[in-house]
PDB file of all heavy atoms in Angstrom:
ATOM      1  N   LYS A1116       9.065  19.388  11.488  1.00  0.00           N
ATOM      2  CA  LYS A1116       8.267  18.336  12.119  1.00  0.00           C
ATOM      3  C   LYS A1116       6.938  18.147  11.387  1.00  0.00           C
ATOM      4  O   LYS A1116       6.432  17.032  11.301  1.00  0.00           O
ATOM      5  CB  LYS A1116       8.030  18.652  13.589  1.00  0.00           C
ATOM      6  CG  LYS A1116       9.270  18.505  14.433  1.00  0.00           C
ATOM      7  CD  LYS A1116       8.990  18.805  15.880  1.00  0.00           C
ATOM      8  CE  LYS A1116      10.257  18.711  16.710  1.00  0.00           C
ATOM      9  NZ  LYS A1116      10.026  19.056  18.113  1.00  0.00           N
ATOM     10  N   LYS A1117       6.381  19.230  10.863  1.00  0.00           N
ATOM     11  CA  LYS A1117       5.151  19.102  10.078  1.00  0.00           C
ATOM     12  C   LYS A1117       5.394  18.300   8.805  1.00  0.00           C
ATOM     13  O   LYS A1117       4.571  17.472   8.424  1.00  0.00           O
ATOM     14  CB  LYS A1117       4.603  20.480   9.720  1.00  0.00           C
ATOM     15  CG  LYS A1117       3.952  21.189  10.868  1.00  0.00           C
ATOM     16  CD  LYS A1117       3.384  22.516  10.408  1.00  0.00           C
ATOM     17  CE  LYS A1117       2.874  23.306  11.566  1.00  0.00           C
ATOM     18  NZ  LYS A1117       1.439  23.190  11.741  1.00  0.00           N
ATOM     19  N   ILE A1118       6.542  18.502   8.170  1.00  0.00           N
ATOM     20  CA  ILE A1118       6.873  17.744   6.967  1.00  0.00           C
ATOM     21  C   ILE A1118       7.077  16.263   7.309  1.00  0.00           C
ATOM     22  O   ILE A1118       6.635  15.376   6.573  1.00  0.00           O
ATOM     23  CB  ILE A1118       8.138  18.332   6.297  1.00  0.00           C
ATOM     24  CG1 ILE A1118       7.877  19.755   5.821  1.00  0.00           C
ATOM     25  CG2 ILE A1118       8.607  17.464   5.143  1.00  0.00           C
ATOM     26  CD1 ILE A1118       6.813  19.868   4.775  1.00  0.00           C
ATOM     27  N   ILE A1119       7.715  15.991   8.447  1.00  0.00           N
ATOM     28  CA  ILE A1119       7.891  14.603   8.878  1.00  0.00           C
ATOM     29  C   ILE A1119       6.532  13.969   9.174  1.00  0.00           C
ATOM     30  O   ILE A1119       6.285  12.813   8.832  1.00  0.00           O
ATOM     31  CB  ILE A1119       8.826  14.534  10.093  1.00  0.00           C
ATOM     32  CG1 ILE A1119      10.241  14.924   9.674  1.00  0.00           C
ATOM     33  CG2 ILE A1119       8.816  13.149  10.734  1.00  0.00           C
ATOM     34  CD1 ILE A1119      11.206  15.099  10.810  1.00  0.00           C
ATOM     35  N   GLY A1120       5.626  14.729   9.795  1.00  0.00           N
ATOM     36  CA  GLY A1120       4.276  14.226  10.049  1.00  0.00           C
ATOM     37  C   GLY A1120       3.529  13.918   8.764  1.00  0.00           C
ATOM     38  O   GLY A1120       2.823  12.911   8.674  1.00  0.00           O
ATOM     39  N   LEU A1121       3.695  14.767   7.755  1.00  0.00           N
ATOM     40  CA  LEU A1121       3.073  14.487   6.456  1.00  0.00           C
ATOM     41  C   LEU A1121       3.650  13.228   5.828  1.00  0.00           C
ATOM     42  O   LEU A1121       2.926  12.452   5.195  1.00  0.00           O
ATOM     43  CB  LEU A1121       3.258  15.676   5.515  1.00  0.00           C
ATOM     44  CG  LEU A1121       2.324  16.857   5.731  1.00  0.00           C
ATOM     45  CD1 LEU A1121       2.713  18.011   4.822  1.00  0.00           C
ATOM     46  CD2 LEU A1121       0.900  16.447   5.470  1.00  0.00           C
ATOM     47  N   SER A1122       4.943  13.018   6.005  1.00  0.00           N
ATOM     48  CA  SER A1122       5.573  11.805   5.481  1.00  0.00           C
ATOM     49  C   SER A1122       5.023  10.559   6.161  1.00  0.00           C
ATOM     50  O   SER A1122       4.767   9.543   5.505  1.00  0.00           O
ATOM     51  CB  SER A1122       7.084  11.898   5.664  1.00  0.00           C
ATOM     52  OG  SER A1122       7.696  10.716   5.249  1.00  0.00           O
ATOM     53  N   VAL A1123       4.833  10.619   7.470  1.00  0.00           N
ATOM     54  CA  VAL A1123       4.256   9.481   8.203  1.00  0.00           C
ATOM     55  C   VAL A1123       2.821   9.249   7.752  1.00  0.00           C
ATOM     56  O   VAL A1123       2.388   8.098   7.565  1.00  0.00           O
ATOM     57  CB  VAL A1123       4.342   9.716   9.726  1.00  0.00           C
ATOM     58  CG1 VAL A1123       3.563   8.667  10.494  1.00  0.00           C
ATOM     59  CG2 VAL A1123       5.786   9.737  10.174  1.00  0.00           C
ATOM     60  N   LEU A1124       2.071  10.313   7.532  1.00  0.00           N
ATOM     61  CA  LEU A1124       0.692  10.193   7.052  1.00  0.00           C
ATOM     62  C   LEU A1124       0.653   9.567   5.663  1.00  0.00           C
ATOM     63  O   LEU A1124      -0.194   8.705   5.385  1.00  0.00           O
ATOM     64  CB  LEU A1124       0.037  11.576   7.043  1.00  0.00           C
ATOM     65  CG  LEU A1124      -1.449  11.662   6.786  1.00  0.00           C
ATOM     66  CD1 LEU A1124      -2.225  10.945   7.869  1.00  0.00           C
ATOM     67  CD2 LEU A1124      -1.875  13.104   6.714  1.00  0.00           C
ATOM     68  N   GLN A1125       1.560   9.955   4.788  1.00  0.00           N
ATOM     69  CA  GLN A1125       1.624   9.363   3.450  1.00  0.00           C
ATOM     70  C   GLN A1125       1.994   7.885   3.525  1.00  0.00           C
ATOM     71  O   GLN A1125       1.432   7.065   2.787  1.00  0.00           O
ATOM     72  CB  GLN A1125       2.640  10.097   2.592  1.00  0.00           C
ATOM     73  CG  GLN A1125       2.184  11.459   2.153  1.00  0.00           C
ATOM     74  CD  GLN A1125       3.269  12.220   1.408  1.00  0.00           C
ATOM     75  OE1 GLN A1125       4.437  11.865   1.455  1.00  0.00           O
ATOM     76  NE2 GLN A1125       2.862  13.262   0.719  1.00  0.00           N
ATOM     77  N   THR A1126       2.899   7.544   4.422  1.00  0.00           N
ATOM     78  CA  THR A1126       3.278   6.144   4.583  1.00  0.00           C
ATOM     79  C   THR A1126       2.084   5.316   5.048  1.00  0.00           C
ATOM     80  O   THR A1126       1.895   4.176   4.592  1.00  0.00           O
ATOM     81  CB  THR A1126       4.428   6.023   5.593  1.00  0.00           C
ATOM     82  OG1 THR A1126       5.518   6.822   5.135  1.00  0.00           O
ATOM     83  CG2 THR A1126       4.873   4.594   5.758  1.00  0.00           C
ATOM     84  N   ALA A1127       1.271   5.877   5.910  1.00  0.00           N
ATOM     85  CA  ALA A1127       0.068   5.174   6.365  1.00  0.00           C
ATOM     86  C   ALA A1127      -0.891   4.937   5.204  1.00  0.00           C
ATOM     87  O   ALA A1127      -1.460   3.846   5.077  1.00  0.00           O
ATOM     88  CB  ALA A1127      -0.627   5.976   7.466  1.00  0.00           C
ATOM     89  N   ILE A1128      -1.036   5.910   4.342  1.00  0.00           N
ATOM     90  CA  ILE A1128      -1.932   5.749   3.190  1.00  0.00           C
ATOM     91  C   ILE A1128      -1.381   4.708   2.220  1.00  0.00           C
ATOM     92  O   ILE A1128      -2.143   3.909   1.669  1.00  0.00           O
ATOM     93  CB  ILE A1128      -2.156   7.113   2.520  1.00  0.00           C
ATOM     94  CG1 ILE A1128      -2.951   8.014   3.460  1.00  0.00           C
ATOM     95  CG2 ILE A1128      -2.877   6.960   1.188  1.00  0.00           C
ATOM     96  CD1 ILE A1128      -3.049   9.439   3.022  1.00  0.00           C
ATOM     97  N   PHE A1129      -0.062   4.686   2.036  1.00  0.00           N
ATOM     98  CA  PHE A1129       0.540   3.667   1.180  1.00  0.00           C
ATOM     99  C   PHE A1129       0.276   2.271   1.741  1.00  0.00           C
ATOM    100  O   PHE A1129      -0.077   1.348   0.989  1.00  0.00           O
ATOM    101  CB  PHE A1129       2.045   3.883   1.037  1.00  0.00           C
ATOM    102  CG  PHE A1129       2.433   5.195   0.411  1.00  0.00           C
ATOM    103  CD1 PHE A1129       3.671   5.736   0.661  1.00  0.00           C
ATOM    104  CD2 PHE A1129       1.575   5.876  -0.422  1.00  0.00           C
ATOM    105  CE1 PHE A1129       4.048   6.930   0.086  1.00  0.00           C
ATOM    106  CE2 PHE A1129       1.929   7.088  -0.994  1.00  0.00           C
ATOM    107  CZ  PHE A1129       3.171   7.612  -0.735  1.00  0.00           C
ATOM    108  N   LEU A1130       0.445   2.115   3.045  1.00  0.00           N
ATOM    109  CA  LEU A1130       0.177   0.832   3.690  1.00  0.00           C
ATOM    110  C   LEU A1130      -1.277   0.425   3.508  1.00  0.00           C
ATOM    111  O   LEU A1130      -1.585  -0.743   3.230  1.00  0.00           O
ATOM    112  CB  LEU A1130       0.530   0.895   5.178  1.00  0.00           C
ATOM    113  CG  LEU A1130       0.195  -0.339   6.007  1.00  0.00           C
ATOM    114  CD1 LEU A1130       1.057  -1.514   5.587  1.00  0.00           C
ATOM    115  CD2 LEU A1130       0.361  -0.047   7.475  1.00  0.00           C
ATOM    116  N   PHE A1131      -2.181   1.379   3.626  1.00  0.00           N
ATOM    117  CA  PHE A1131      -3.609   1.090   3.471  1.00  0.00           C
ATOM    118  C   PHE A1131      -3.918   0.626   2.056  1.00  0.00           C
ATOM    119  O   PHE A1131      -4.654  -0.350   1.856  1.00  0.00           O
ATOM    120  CB  PHE A1131      -4.423   2.334   3.827  1.00  0.00           C
ATOM    121  CG  PHE A1131      -5.901   2.150   3.702  1.00  0.00           C
ATOM    122  CD1 PHE A1131      -6.575   1.276   4.533  1.00  0.00           C
ATOM    123  CD2 PHE A1131      -6.624   2.850   2.761  1.00  0.00           C
ATOM    124  CE1 PHE A1131      -7.947   1.107   4.428  1.00  0.00           C
ATOM    125  CE2 PHE A1131      -7.989   2.690   2.646  1.00  0.00           C
ATOM    126  CZ  PHE A1131      -8.648   1.818   3.479  1.00  0.00           C
ATOM    127  N   LEU A1132      -3.364   1.308   1.055  1.00  0.00           N
ATOM    128  CA  LEU A1132      -3.637   0.922  -0.330  1.00  0.00           C
ATOM    129  C   LEU A1132      -3.075  -0.459  -0.653  1.00  0.00           C
ATOM    130  O   LEU A1132      -3.725  -1.257  -1.337  1.00  0.00           O
ATOM    131  CB  LEU A1132      -3.057   1.961  -1.286  1.00  0.00           C
ATOM    132  CG  LEU A1132      -3.771   3.306  -1.305  1.00  0.00           C
ATOM    133  CD1 LEU A1132      -3.020   4.293  -2.185  1.00  0.00           C
ATOM    134  CD2 LEU A1132      -5.188   3.144  -1.802  1.00  0.00           C
ATOM    135  N   ILE A1133      -1.883  -0.750  -0.154  1.00  0.00           N
ATOM    136  CA  ILE A1133      -1.301  -2.077  -0.385  1.00  0.00           C
ATOM    137  C   ILE A1133      -2.115  -3.148   0.350  1.00  0.00           C
ATOM    138  O   ILE A1133      -2.329  -4.242  -0.169  1.00  0.00           O
ATOM    139  CB  ILE A1133       0.179  -2.105   0.049  1.00  0.00           C
ATOM    140  CG1 ILE A1133       1.009  -1.195  -0.843  1.00  0.00           C
ATOM    141  CG2 ILE A1133       0.735  -3.510   0.042  1.00  0.00           C
ATOM    142  CD1 ILE A1133       1.093  -1.618  -2.276  1.00  0.00           C
ATOM    143  N   SER A1134      -2.582  -2.829   1.550  1.00  0.00           N
ATOM    144  CA  SER A1134      -3.382  -3.796   2.309  1.00  0.00           C
ATOM    145  C   SER A1134      -4.710  -4.086   1.628  1.00  0.00           C
ATOM    146  O   SER A1134      -5.192  -5.219   1.650  1.00  0.00           O
ATOM    147  CB  SER A1134      -3.640  -3.270   3.723  1.00  0.00           C
ATOM    148  OG  SER A1134      -2.441  -3.127   4.423  1.00  0.00           O
ATOM    149  N   LEU A1135      -5.303  -3.081   1.017  1.00  0.00           N
ATOM    150  CA  LEU A1135      -6.565  -3.300   0.314  1.00  0.00           C
ATOM    151  C   LEU A1135      -6.396  -4.157  -0.929  1.00  0.00           C
ATOM    152  O   LEU A1135      -7.313  -4.877  -1.333  1.00  0.00           O
ATOM    153  CB  LEU A1135      -7.185  -1.959  -0.088  1.00  0.00           C
ATOM    154  CG  LEU A1135      -7.883  -1.166   1.000  1.00  0.00           C
ATOM    155  CD1 LEU A1135      -8.428   0.130   0.417  1.00  0.00           C
ATOM    156  CD2 LEU A1135      -9.012  -1.966   1.609  1.00  0.00           C
ATOM    157  N   SER A1136      -5.230  -4.086  -1.552  1.00  0.00           N
ATOM    158  CA  SER A1136      -5.054  -4.790  -2.817  1.00  0.00           C
ATOM    159  C   SER A1136      -4.707  -6.267  -2.641  1.00  0.00           C
ATOM    160  O   SER A1136      -4.694  -7.010  -3.615  1.00  0.00           O
ATOM    161  CB  SER A1136      -3.966  -4.114  -3.644  1.00  0.00           C
ATOM    162  OG  SER A1136      -2.715  -4.265  -3.023  1.00  0.00           O
ATOM    163  N   LYS A1137      -4.419  -6.694  -1.419  1.00  0.00           N
ATOM    164  CA  LYS A1137      -4.070  -8.097  -1.187  1.00  0.00           C
ATOM    165  C   LYS A1137      -5.319  -8.966  -1.276  1.00  0.00           C
ATOM    166  O   LYS A1137      -6.339  -8.695  -0.657  1.00  0.00           O
ATOM    167  CB  LYS A1137      -3.416  -8.255   0.194  1.00  0.00           C
ATOM    168  CG  LYS A1137      -3.126  -9.676   0.582  1.00  0.00           C
ATOM    169  CD  LYS A1137      -2.080 -10.280  -0.309  1.00  0.00           C
ATOM    170  CE  LYS A1137      -1.796 -11.711   0.103  1.00  0.00           C
ATOM    171  NZ  LYS A1137      -1.875 -12.625  -1.004  1.00  0.00           N
ATOM    172  N   VAL A1138      -5.204 -10.037  -2.070  1.00  0.00           N
ATOM    173  CA  VAL A1138      -6.285 -10.997  -2.229  1.00  0.00           C
ATOM    174  C   VAL A1138      -5.868 -12.293  -1.548  1.00  0.00           C
ATOM    175  O   VAL A1138      -4.799 -12.828  -1.842  1.00  0.00           O
ATOM    176  CB  VAL A1138      -6.581 -11.250  -3.723  1.00  0.00           C
ATOM    177  CG1 VAL A1138      -7.640 -12.317  -3.896  1.00  0.00           C
ATOM    178  CG2 VAL A1138      -7.001  -9.966  -4.401  1.00  0.00           C
ATOM    179  N   SER A1139      -6.670 -12.781  -0.632  1.00  0.00           N
ATOM    180  CA  SER A1139      -6.341 -14.027   0.063  1.00  0.00           C
ATOM    181  C   SER A1139      -6.379 -15.195  -0.916  1.00  0.00           C
ATOM    182  O   SER A1139      -7.369 -15.411  -1.606  1.00  0.00           O
ATOM    183  CB  SER A1139      -7.323 -14.283   1.196  1.00  0.00           C
ATOM    184  OG  SER A1139      -7.217 -13.283   2.175  1.00  0.00           O
ATOM    185  N   GLY A1140      -5.268 -15.911  -0.969  1.00  0.00           N
ATOM    186  CA  GLY A1140      -5.199 -17.054  -1.881  1.00  0.00           C
ATOM    187  C   GLY A1140      -4.875 -16.668  -3.304  1.00  0.00           C
ATOM    188  O   GLY A1140      -4.858 -17.524  -4.178  1.00  0.00           O
ATOM    189  N   GLY A1141      -4.629 -15.411  -3.555  1.00  0.00           N
ATOM    190  CA  GLY A1141      -4.334 -14.954  -4.902  1.00  0.00           C
ATOM    191  C   GLY A1141      -2.903 -15.247  -5.298  1.00  0.00           C
ATOM    192  O   GLY A1141      -2.008 -15.320  -4.463  1.00  0.00           O
ATOM    193  N   THR A1142      -2.694 -15.411  -6.583  1.00  0.00           N
ATOM    194  CA  THR A1142      -1.362 -15.684  -7.097  1.00  0.00           C
ATOM    195  C   THR A1142      -0.829 -14.458  -7.835  1.00  0.00           C
ATOM    196  O   THR A1142      -1.514 -13.448  -7.955  1.00  0.00           O
ATOM    197  CB  THR A1142      -1.381 -16.883  -8.059  1.00  0.00           C
ATOM    198  OG1 THR A1142      -2.221 -16.548  -9.172  1.00  0.00           O
ATOM    199  CG2 THR A1142      -1.900 -18.130  -7.379  1.00  0.00           C
ATOM    200  N   VAL A1143       0.369 -14.589  -8.343  1.00  0.00           N
ATOM    201  CA  VAL A1143       0.970 -13.528  -9.139  1.00  0.00           C
ATOM    202  C   VAL A1143       0.284 -13.505 -10.501  1.00  0.00           C
ATOM    203  O   VAL A1143       0.039 -14.559 -11.093  1.00  0.00           O
ATOM    204  CB  VAL A1143       2.491 -13.794  -9.295  1.00  0.00           C
ATOM    205  CG1 VAL A1143       3.146 -12.691 -10.087  1.00  0.00           C
ATOM    206  CG2 VAL A1143       3.135 -13.953  -7.947  1.00  0.00           C
ATOM    207  N   PRO A1144      -0.059 -12.334 -11.056  1.00  0.00           N
ATOM    208  CA  PRO A1144      -0.805 -12.309 -12.323  1.00  0.00           C
ATOM    209  C   PRO A1144       0.021 -12.757 -13.528  1.00  0.00           C
ATOM    210  O   PRO A1144      -0.521 -12.941 -14.608  1.00  0.00           O
ATOM    211  CB  PRO A1144      -1.227 -10.853 -12.453  1.00  0.00           C
ATOM    212  CG  PRO A1144      -0.321 -10.087 -11.592  1.00  0.00           C
ATOM    213  CD  PRO A1144       0.090 -11.003 -10.490  1.00  0.00           C
ATOM    214  N   ILE A1145       1.316 -13.003 -13.365  1.00  0.00           N
ATOM    215  CA  ILE A1145       2.161 -13.394 -14.496  1.00  0.00           C
ATOM    216  C   ILE A1145       2.078 -14.897 -14.764  1.00  0.00           C
ATOM    217  O   ILE A1145       2.551 -15.381 -15.781  1.00  0.00           O
ATOM    218  CB  ILE A1145       3.624 -12.959 -14.220  1.00  0.00           C
ATOM    219  CG1 ILE A1145       3.657 -11.452 -14.012  1.00  0.00           C
ATOM    220  CG2 ILE A1145       4.561 -13.332 -15.327  1.00  0.00           C
ATOM    221  CD1 ILE A1145       4.984 -10.913 -13.592  1.00  0.00           C
ATOM    222  N   THR A1146       1.454 -15.641 -13.871  1.00  0.00           N
ATOM    223  CA  THR A1146       1.442 -17.105 -14.009  1.00  0.00           C
ATOM    224  C   THR A1146       0.688 -17.591 -15.242  1.00  0.00           C
ATOM    225  O   THR A1146       0.794 -18.744 -15.586  1.00  0.00           O
ATOM    226  CB  THR A1146       0.829 -17.750 -12.753  1.00  0.00           C
ATOM    227  OG1 THR A1146      -0.483 -17.241 -12.561  1.00  0.00           O
ATOM    228  CG2 THR A1146       1.697 -17.490 -11.538  1.00  0.00           C
ATOM    229  N   GLY A1147      -0.046 -16.756 -15.886  1.00  0.00           N
ATOM    230  CA  GLY A1147      -0.733 -17.155 -17.116  1.00  0.00           C
ATOM    231  C   GLY A1147      -2.233 -17.158 -16.964  1.00  0.00           C
ATOM    232  O   GLY A1147      -2.778 -16.848 -15.902  1.00  0.00           O
ATOM    233  N   PRO A1148      -2.928 -17.497 -18.022  1.00  0.00           N
ATOM    234  CA  PRO A1148      -4.404 -17.464 -17.994  1.00  0.00           C
ATOM    235  C   PRO A1148      -5.018 -18.563 -17.142  1.00  0.00           C
ATOM    236  O   PRO A1148      -6.210 -18.546 -16.889  1.00  0.00           O
ATOM    237  CB  PRO A1148      -4.786 -17.635 -19.454  1.00  0.00           C
ATOM    238  CG  PRO A1148      -3.627 -18.308 -20.098  1.00  0.00           C
ATOM    239  CD  PRO A1148      -2.410 -17.879 -19.335  1.00  0.00           C
ATOM    240  N   SER A1149      -4.209 -19.526 -16.682  1.00  0.00           N
ATOM    241  CA  SER A1149      -4.774 -20.618 -15.880  1.00  0.00           C
ATOM    242  C   SER A1149      -5.103 -20.177 -14.453  1.00  0.00           C
ATOM    243  O   SER A1149      -5.840 -20.856 -13.759  1.00  0.00           O
ATOM    244  CB  SER A1149      -3.803 -21.798 -15.849  1.00  0.00           C
ATOM    245  OG  SER A1149      -2.597 -21.405 -15.218  1.00  0.00           O
TER     246      SER A1149
END
């Protein structure tokens, strides 16, 4: 159960990092220099 709790904690951190990286109105960086 402690290992499962660590997995849930890691998933929360992954969600936080992905949430921080989202830019409102941002596009995919492959679209070019425009």
Side-chain angles (χ1 to χ4, degrees):
K1116 289 181 182 177
K1117 285 183 187 262
I1118 296 297
I1119 292 171
L1121 281 174
S1122 176
V1123 171
L1124 189 62
Q1125 287 175 345
T1126 303
I1128 293 171
F1129 299 156
L1130 175 67
F1131 180 66
L1132 289 174
I1133 294 295
S1134 297
L1135 283 180
S1136 67
K1137 175 66 180 129
V1138 176
S1139 296
T1142 62
V1143 181
I1145 301 174
T1146 58
S1149 63

